[in-house]
Amino acid sequence: MKIIATLAAAGFIAALASTAASAANRKVDIINETGLTMSEFYASSTGTEDWEEDILGADIMEPGDTFEIDIDDGSGACHFDFKAVFTNGSSHVRRNVNVCKISSFTYTR
């Protein structure tokens, strides 16, 4: 009986940990400190082959702008790859960003 109680308690603790991870805050301020205008921004779950939709849509980010995004794709994932595209045609990719542990991400030159 003691073993069953111990296993039940372990299962309960694992369920709580899973719930806490899925409830993590995924709101991140994207800050453009590049000196360039950002025209597109993508965040896709790490390991995904394709980029998701452009989060900025019709918006742009001028140098010095901040844009708050909620990077919650419903999967419970915390690790995402970021891609910023600038009006001069350049782009910058950052892999494996833990959006559950940061509140801002700054693009610099």
Side-chain angles (χ1 to χ4, degrees):
M1 207 48 142
K2 190 174 187 179
I3 292 173
I4 293 172
T6 302
L7 290 174
F12 179 72
I13 290 169
L16 283 177
S18 174
T19 301
S22 66
N25 180 11
R26 291 173 180 81
K27 290 185 180 174
V28 178
D29 286 337
I30 303 300
I31 304 165
N32 182 9
E33 293 294 337
T34 62
L36 302 170
T37 300
M38 186 184 300
S39 57
E40 301 170 37
F41 180 80
Y42 303 90
S44 295
S45 184
T46 297
T48 303
E49 295 294 321
D50 296 317
W51 292 104
E52 302 296 331
E53 73 275 352
D54 174 16
I55 294 171
L56 290 178
D59 293 329
I60 60 169
M61 288 184 65
E62 298 290 344
D65 283 354
T66 299
F67 190 82
E68 181 185 65
I69 57 174
D70 188 355
I71 308 177
D72 188 356
D73 65 356
S75 70
C78 287
H79 294 268
F80 285 79
D81 297 335
F82 289 174
K83 179 180 180 182
V85 178
F86 300 93
T87 55
N88 72 350
S90 67
S91 64
H92 179 63
V93 174
R94 175 69 186 269
R95 305 255 181 225
N96 203 26
V97 178
N98 187 339
V99 299
C100 295
K101 293 197 176 201
I102 63 168
S103 60
S104 66
F105 184 86
T106 303
Y107 279 95
T108 59
R109 290 182 195 219

